[in-house]
Amino acid sequence: MRILIIEDEKPAVEHLIECLNNLDETIKIIASTGSVKESVAWLQENPMPDLILMDIQLSDGLSFNIFSNSKIECPVIFITAYDKYLSEAFEYNSIDYLLKPIDEVKLGAAIKKYKSLQNYFVNNYSSLFEYLNNQNKKKSRIIVRKGLEFQTIKIEDIAYFFTEHKIVFLVDKNNKKFLSENNTLSELEEELDGNLFFRANRKYIVNANYINRFKPVDKSKINVELSVPVNEEIIVSQENAASFRKWINEI
């Protein structure tokens, strides 16, 4: 098992290496990096390890930033002195989350979990990576309020979302309007499939399947016309126009 350690405190690195050697003699520590920048450079220049032990707080920022600059296709065991990053960690290939100081027994349990997943996927790391990503699937349904009751609507049936007086609404394929349980469009945007939905502006998120046509307007903005009625024009800002064109070409 080839392990990369990402940790900026030398005593912590030495302790991890000692624990790993005690747990399994077949484990090979292939490298140790201590910053986001150094880790990104290493990952770009070397084969992917089997497993990464990653401290969250590094000398130049949170290790989550590594994922923005590198394609990590292996499981990660996060390590930190704080538990406030727990929910966020599981958005990034995480199979476990260990608090400092590292306990050898708990580290051993995390390594055992990795081996169990490895055996289950018959050493197919691409399938393991797919499995990890699927733990954070985007929403397939949205909860809406209808009077005093709640119901769910399939994502593919939603033509667009919009906000009005700081309240989020959605309009479905039958042009029916519902009150969404989401507090903001920004919160909703994080939960939606970016291949299907685009944040046109501060007020609208549109579904690609309900875009009839679009055209440029003044100063490189884009007017988007949907297949369901909308009370006003949906205008993609000049700043987002290039991203919109790229998005619409790739879906």
Side-chain angles (χ1 to χ4, degrees):
M1 185 193 310
R2 300 163 56 256
I3 292 180
L4 167 65
I5 295 176
I6 300 178
E7 166 65 68
D8 63 346
E9 297 178 359
K10 187 176 180 181
V13 174
E14 293 173 349
H15 179 61
L16 279 172
I17 293 174
E18 181 182 359
C19 290
L20 290 169
N21 289 335
N22 292 337
L23 290 168
D24 190 337
E25 294 181 353
T26 65
I27 290 176
K28 181 180 180 182
I29 311 300
I30 56 174
S32 172
T33 58
S35 67
V36 172
K37 183 178 180 180
E38 184 184 1
S39 301
V40 169
W42 190 95
L43 288 164
Q44 290 174 345
E45 297 171 2
N46 294 275
M48 190 62 51
D50 299 324
L51 177 67
I52 298 176
L53 301 184
M54 184 182 291
D55 187 12
I56 292 180
Q57 292 181 306
L58 300 175
S59 58
D60 57 347
L62 297 181
S63 60
F64 299 139
N65 295 324
I66 297 171
F67 292 84
S68 303
N69 298 281
S70 304
K71 186 177 182 181
I72 298 180
E73 296 182 338
C74 71
V76 176
I77 295 174
F78 281 101
I79 298 169
T80 183
Y82 308 95
D83 59 4
K84 63 180 179 179
Y85 300 109
L86 178 59
S87 59
E88 190 173 358
F90 282 95
E91 297 178 12
Y92 298 96
N93 298 24
S94 177
I95 59 171
D96 217 328
Y97 185 100
L98 302 178
L99 292 175
K100 292 180 178 180
I102 295 302
D103 178 81
E104 188 172 311
V105 174
K106 291 182 179 179
L107 178 60
I111 296 294
K112 185 177 180 180
K113 181 188 293 187
Y114 162 76
K115 289 182 176 179
S116 296
L117 286 171
Q118 180 190 43
N119 291 333
Y120 180 79
F121 287 98
V122 198
N123 297 321
N124 187 334
Y125 294 111
S126 62
S127 294
L128 179 56
F129 181 57
E130 181 180 353
Y131 162 79
L132 292 166
N133 281 342
N134 284 342
Q135 301 313 296
N136 301 289
K137 284 184 177 178
K138 297 298 185 180
K139 279 183 176 289
S140 60
R141 290 178 175 270
I142 291 288
I143 298 174
V144 298
R145 185 189 297 271
K146 189 176 182 180
L148 298 177
E149 300 179 344
F150 295 90
Q151 69 181 69
T152 61
I153 297 179
K154 292 181 180 179
I155 283 291
E156 59 265 29
D157 292 338
I158 299 171
Y160 65 94
F161 296 88
F162 72 99
T163 182
E164 190 172 69
H165 304 302
K166 298 184 179 181
I167 300 173
V168 176
F169 298 91
L170 66 85
V171 175
D172 71 4
K173 61 183 180 181
N174 299 314
N175 198 33
K176 291 184 178 179
K177 177 181 172 182
F178 297 92
L179 174 63
S180 171
E181 283 299 285
N182 293 82
N183 294 324
T184 67
L185 283 188
S186 295
E187 173 189 289
L188 185 61
E189 187 179 9
E190 292 295 319
E191 299 174 349
L192 295 173
D193 183 352
N195 294 316
L196 186 61
F197 289 91
F198 185 83
R199 179 75 178 269
N201 52 45
R202 289 183 295 177
K203 188 171 181 178
Y204 286 93
I205 296 177
V206 298
N207 185 333
N209 294 329
Y210 295 88
I211 295 177
N212 259 353
R213 60 180 65 88
F214 59 93
K215 62 182 180 181
V217 291
D218 63 307
K219 294 184 179 179
S220 302
K221 296 178 183 178
I222 296 174
N223 185 325
V224 178
E225 181 181 317
L226 302 183
S227 58
V228 297
V230 184
N231 292 332
E232 61 184 335
E233 291 185 333
I234 299 178
I235 303 295
V236 179
S237 68
Q238 184 177 353
E239 293 76 16
N240 291 335
S243 297
F244 175 83
R245 289 192 180 91
K246 184 176 185 293
W247 171 74
I248 205 73
N249 284 327
E250 291 179 350
I251 57 178

